[in-house]
């Protein structure tokens, strides 16, 4: 063995490095870009520098300012952030570059769930929110192209409506049963080690890995006390959605490997099959997969195999038959009515116009989402029901017979009809359907006060 061979044998790194460099050079001799890792990400060993690029930080700041949001535990508001950064950015940047940045605990906020119970949100400090946004923008740009085509949640140019449309396509193709998975408290129970192992497959920069781990372990302040966060991805931070998609991408790949038809929106996953028996097999095997590989639990009480017309997906359901239509799920309609009843209660000090202005803000957002349904008769019925509630509210506001009679006459209701209506023993709800109130408070009058109809004019 000559001296050169002996040197390479004693230093395998040297030989390996030369062979690696040789593999990077094409026939023409010019060097190729850095080789991709197993997931298609390139050059992630200096990811922190990319995150801290000026344009990325400016874009992140615009997003945080636009989204507003409540302060974190330090009380700093969104409007105070730019001034704070001018004074402290040099120090903050150095901490990030050296891998020493320490996020603050998130502030726990509980909001009621539409179906009962509460959803626990974690509100990061405004500074942490900005840094998370900057990290999220870079990771989203790199990771999103690698995610499954059947994943729709928290992804650019993808929406819940597209997910519902995809589900309907599967039903039309003959997949008449759905395996509806409900992951039990998904965001609260994500295992940090499992998640970070998936993150580490895609990121080489140890500073970024340490930063993400620090955000996960930052802790939670609740009732003035800070507790450690040993599991979970707090809902409320910009980074949580892309991390949840990364973890559940492994579920997507497993379903694709089995050639199953599925749609996933965040932790809401539906698999479409052709028989109950096939659905039960999928339910059992995927439940085991989630438990073993991702340490996630399927809520058996809320999960089921059934007809798509019986189940709810993203607030929608489907009509029966070979050519199903998208309809609003019954539970979504019930929640809507509860909300409208609350907003149209006869509360003191609120005029009809004020009630309609508040109601309009809710109805416009609700219509933007649920107006996608293909059952306009339901929307028309809701329009009539809301208008009746508004007329009943006005009748209550007028209170006594003389006031009611004067209001009806002022609105061009003839004397006899006004007197007959005011003398009726019926309650406000039944009176709201009377000819007198329809004449006194017609649809055009309610529209002039700002009432937005759920059925839009063609």
């Amino acid at each position: 063995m000559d001296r050169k061979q002996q040197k390479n044998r004693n230093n395998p790194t040297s030989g390996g490095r030369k062979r690696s460099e040789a593999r990077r050079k094409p026939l023409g001799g010019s060097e190729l870009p850095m080789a991709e890792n197993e997931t298609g990400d390139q050059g992630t060993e200096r990811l922190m520098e990319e995150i801290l690029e000026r344009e990325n930080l400016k874009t992140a700041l615009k997003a945080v300012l636009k989204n507003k949001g409540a302060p974190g535990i330090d009380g700093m508001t969104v409007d105070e952030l730019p001034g704070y950064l001018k004074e402290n950015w040099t120090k903050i940047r150095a901490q990030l570059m050296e891998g020493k940045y320490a996020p603050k605990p998130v502030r726990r906020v509980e909001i009621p769930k539409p179906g009962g119970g509460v959803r626990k949100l974690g509100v990061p400090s405004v500074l942490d929110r900005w840094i998370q946004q900057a990290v999220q923008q870079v990771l989203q740009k790199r990771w999103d192209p690698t995610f499954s085509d059947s994943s729709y949640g928290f992804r650019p140019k993808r929406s819940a409506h597209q997910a519902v449309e995809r589900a309907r396509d599967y039903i039309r193709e003959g997949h008449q049963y759905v395996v509806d998975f409900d992951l039990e408290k998904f965001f609260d129970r994500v295992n940090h080690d499992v998640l970070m192992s998936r993150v580490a497959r895609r990121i080489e920069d140890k500073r970024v890995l340490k930063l993400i781990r620090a955000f996960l372990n930052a802790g939670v302040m609740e009732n003035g006390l800070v507790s450690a966060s040993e599991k979970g991805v707090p809902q409320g931070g910009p980074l949580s959605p892309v991390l949840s998609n990364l973890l559940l991408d492994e579920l997507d790949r497993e379903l694709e490997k089995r050639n199953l038809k599925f749609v996933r929106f965040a932790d809401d996953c539906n698999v479409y099959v052709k028989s109950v028996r096939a659905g039960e097999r999928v339910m059992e095997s995927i439940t085991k997969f989630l438990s073993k590989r991702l340490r996630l639990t399927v809520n058996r009480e809320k999960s089921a195999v059934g007809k798509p017309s019986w189940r709810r997906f993203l607030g929608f359901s489907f009509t029966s038959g070979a050519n199903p239509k998208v309809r609003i799920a019954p539970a979504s309609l019930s929640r809507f009515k509860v909300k409208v009843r609350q907003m149209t209660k006869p509360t003191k000090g609120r005029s009809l116009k004020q009630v309609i202005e508040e109601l309009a803000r809710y109805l416009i957002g609700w219509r933007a989402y649920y107006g996608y349904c293909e059952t306009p008769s339901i929307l028309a019925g809701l329009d009539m029901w809301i208008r009746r509630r508004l007329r009943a509210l006005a009748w209550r506001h007028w209170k006594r017979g003389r006031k009611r009679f004067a209001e009806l006459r002022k609105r061009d209701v003839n004397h006899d009809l006004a007197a007959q209506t005011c003398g009726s023993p019926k309650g406000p709800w039944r009176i709201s359907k009377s000819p007198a109130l329809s004449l006194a408070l017609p649809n055009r009058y309610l529209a002039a006060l700002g009432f937005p109809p759920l059925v839009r004019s063609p």
Side-chain angles (χ1 to χ4, degrees):
M1 182 181 296
D2 59 24
R3 186 177 299 174
K4 184 176 181 180
Q5 289 175 324
Q6 181 67 36
K7 181 179 179 181
N8 286 341
R9 184 175 180 180
N10 293 337
N11 186 9
T13 305
S14 172
R17 182 168 60 248
K18 289 181 180 179
R19 285 193 296 272
S20 175
E21 290 171 354
R23 281 199 301 270
R24 290 180 187 172
K25 291 191 176 183
L27 294 176
S30 60
E31 190 171 353
L32 291 174
M34 183 170 295
E36 295 186 359
N37 65 15
E38 62 182 280
T39 57
D41 291 315
Q42 293 182 326
T44 62
E45 74 284 353
R46 290 180 61 81
L47 198 62
M48 185 62 80
E49 282 76 4
E50 185 176 342
I51 290 168
L52 298 182
E53 283 181 358
R54 182 177 179 82
E55 287 305 313
N56 186 55
L57 294 176
K58 285 173 64 178
T59 302
L61 183 59
K62 286 180 182 178
V64 171
L65 293 174
K66 181 180 178 182
N67 292 336
K68 300 293 182 183
I73 65 169
D74 59 359
M76 184 191 299
T77 65
V78 169
D79 294 333
E80 294 172 328
L81 178 60
Y84 180 83
L85 290 175
K86 284 182 181 179
E87 295 181 7
N88 298 278
W89 172 234
T90 302
K91 179 180 67 175
I92 296 168
R93 188 181 188 281
Q95 292 173 347
L96 290 166
M97 290 292 289
E98 295 167 10
K100 296 179 180 179
Y101 181 80
K104 292 180 173 63
V106 299
R107 182 168 62 85
R108 173 71 77 217
V109 175
E110 293 184 352
I111 60 172
K113 282 186 177 181
V118 295
R119 177 178 285 111
K120 293 183 178 181
L121 299 183
V123 181
S125 71
V126 174
L127 176 61
D128 289 341
R129 213 178 304 165
W130 174 62
I131 294 172
Q132 284 194 38
Q133 180 68 30
V135 175
Q136 182 269 342
Q137 289 169 179
V138 171
L139 298 187
Q140 184 88 45
K141 181 176 63 176
R142 286 173 168 267
W143 294 355
D144 191 77
T146 73
F147 289 156
S148 168
D149 187 51
S150 295
S151 166
Y152 288 87
F154 308 125
R155 298 184 62 187
K157 298 181 181 179
R158 287 178 169 247
S159 68
H161 292 163
Q162 291 174 336
V164 172
E165 188 64 32
R166 183 75 170 269
R168 181 170 62 170
D169 289 342
Y170 290 145
I171 299 169
R172 281 176 173 168
E173 292 169 6
H175 299 82
Q176 296 294 320
Y177 293 88
V178 59
V179 187
D180 185 358
F181 288 100
D182 183 275
L183 295 179
E184 189 170 353
K185 297 182 179 179
F186 168 73
F187 286 95
D188 296 332
R189 296 188 177 180
V190 168
N191 183 284
H192 288 176
D193 291 336
V194 172
L195 174 59
M196 287 306 302
S197 70
R198 273 60 178 176
V199 175
R201 293 175 187 174
R202 293 176 177 246
I203 293 177
E204 298 170 280
D205 193 326
K206 292 182 179 179
R207 297 167 298 178
V208 178
L209 290 174
K210 188 176 179 181
L211 179 63
I212 294 173
R213 173 72 84 164
F215 278 124
L216 293 176
N217 294 341
V220 177
M221 176 174 280
E222 195 168 10
N223 299 322
L225 299 175
V226 175
S227 58
S229 47
E230 299 176 352
K231 59 182 178 179
V233 180
Q235 295 184 72
L239 196 53
S240 299
V242 71
L243 293 178
S244 65
N245 266 339
L246 174 65
L247 182 64
L248 291 175
D249 187 62
E250 194 159 337
L251 168 62
D252 298 342
R253 298 306 171 190
E254 180 66 19
L255 294 171
E256 288 175 344
K257 189 170 73 174
R258 301 184 187 193
N259 294 317
L260 292 169
K261 307 294 185 183
F262 73 97
V263 185
R264 184 176 64 79
F265 192 96
D267 58 330
D268 199 342
C269 183
N270 279 4
V271 181
Y272 292 86
V273 295
K274 294 187 175 181
S275 69
V276 174
R277 193 170 178 180
E280 289 172 346
R281 287 198 301 267
V282 170
M283 176 69 78
E284 195 61 32
S285 60
I286 294 300
T287 297
K288 290 179 180 177
F289 170 84
L290 288 166
S291 176
K292 184 177 180 180
R293 291 287 295 275
L294 302 181
R295 299 189 194 176
L296 297 172
T297 303
V298 172
N299 187 325
R300 293 281 190 171
E301 292 182 2
K302 294 184 179 180
S303 303
V305 178
K307 287 281 189 179
S309 57
W310 304 344
R311 305 297 298 174
R312 182 180 63 194
F313 182 50
L314 302 178
F316 293 96
S317 184
F318 302 93
T319 59
S320 302
N323 189 25
K325 291 184 177 181
V326 178
R327 66 179 183 180
I328 303 171
S332 301
L333 287 174
S334 297
R335 288 201 301 267
F336 173 78
K337 289 190 171 184
V338 168
K339 181 70 173 179
V340 171
R341 285 191 184 100
Q342 291 173 346
M343 299 178 79
T344 54
K345 282 182 177 179
T347 308
K348 288 184 179 181
R350 290 195 310 161
S351 67
L352 184 63
K353 181 174 176 58
Q354 289 172 325
V355 170
I356 289 177
E357 287 174 350
E358 181 188 355
L359 186 63
R361 289 191 288 271
Y362 172 68
L363 292 181
I364 290 170
W366 192 91
R367 183 181 66 184
Y369 186 76
Y370 286 102
Y372 172 75
C373 77
E374 298 173 306
T375 51
S377 60
I378 299 295
L379 297 178
L382 291 174
D383 265 343
M384 293 174 61
W385 175 75
I386 298 170
R387 290 189 183 106
R388 278 194 67 183
R389 288 198 62 83
L390 292 173
R391 291 180 181 121
L393 181 62
W395 190 249
R396 288 188 176 97
H397 281 173
W398 296 339
K399 293 183 180 179
R400 300 182 184 278
R402 286 186 179 182
K403 172 70 171 174
R404 287 170 174 173
F405 181 80
E407 290 291 343
L408 291 177
R409 292 292 290 133
K410 186 171 67 176
R411 289 168 169 77
D412 296 329
V413 178
N414 69 58
H415 182 281
D416 291 345
L417 182 57
Q420 180 185 351
T421 305
C422 292
S424 172
K426 296 176 182 178
W429 178 244
R430 294 184 68 184
I431 288 290
S432 68
K433 200 176 180 181
S434 68
L437 276 196
S438 295
L439 288 169
L441 303 171
N443 293 352
R444 65 178 180 276
Y445 175 77
L446 297 177
L449 292 181
F451 175 74
L454 297 178
V455 179
R456 303 181 189 185
S457 301

